Amino acid sequence: QVRLVESGGGLVQAGGSLSLSCVRSGDTICISAMGWSRQAPGKERELVAEVTSGGSTYYGDFVKGRFTASRDNAKNTVSLQMNSLDPSDTAVYYCFARRCTESLREYPDWGQGTQVTVSS
C-alpha cells in the first residue's frame, strides 16, 4: 500500500510565496515520477509540475517561471516552491506518484490534497 501526504497549504496575499511538500510511504516500490496537480472549484484538475526519476522537470503553461518543483528520490519526497502567487492560483493542490510499471504509469497514486488560498 502506498500513501502520499501533502503539507504546507494555507492563506497568502497576492504576490506572496508558499512552499508545499509531499512524503511517500508504504510499500517499497519503483516510482518513475512524482509531482503536483491542482483543482479549483468548477474547473478540471490540471498539471502543475512533474519531476521524473532522471531529474527532468515539466511545468504547466500557467506557471510562467513562478514555481519550482524538486524531488529527493532517496527520501521519497517532492516539494513545490510557489512565488508571485495570484488569486487565480487558489485551488486544492494534490501530490501524485507514478509507478515504474508501464501499465500503471497513467494511473498514479494521489494524496488527499492541501488547500492554497491567495487573497487580493
Side-chain angles (χ1 to χ4, degrees):
Q1 186 176 17
V2 175
R3 184 185 180 204
L4 298 170
V5 180
E6 304 97 333
S7 62
L11 176 64
V12 64
Q13 294 183 349
S17 299
L18 203 62
S19 181
L20 308 180
S21 64
C22 173
V23 179
R24 184 189 70 82
S25 63
D27 295 341
T28 301
I29 59 175
C30 179
I31 300 296
S32 64
M34 295 184 70
W36 298 88
S37 291
R38 72 183 188 183
Q39 187 168 24
K43 295 185 177 181
E44 298 293 325
R45 187 174 297 190
E46 60 184 346
L47 175 69
V48 178
E50 182 169 345
V51 186
T52 70
S53 296
S56 298
T57 306
Y58 307 92
Y59 296 98
D61 290 339
F62 65 87
V63 171
K64 299 179 181 178
R66 300 176 300 135
F67 301 171
T68 302
S70 59
R71 178 186 174 190
D72 188 329
N73 295 340
K75 296 182 179 180
N76 300 313
T77 62
V78 63
S79 300
L80 183 69
Q81 177 65 47
M82 301 185 290
N83 302 316
S84 301
L85 285 165
D86 184 89
S88 63
D89 295 315
T90 296
V92 177
Y93 285 69
Y94 298 91
C95 175
F96 68 85
R98 299 186 188 276
R99 309 289 184 95
C100 295
T101 305
E102 291 185 8
S103 62
L104 299 177
R105 288 180 181 177
E106 296 183 2
Y107 302 92
D109 299 302
W110 294 95
Q112 293 300 306
T114 184
Q115 177 70 48
V116 173
T117 302
V118 184
S119 64
S120 59

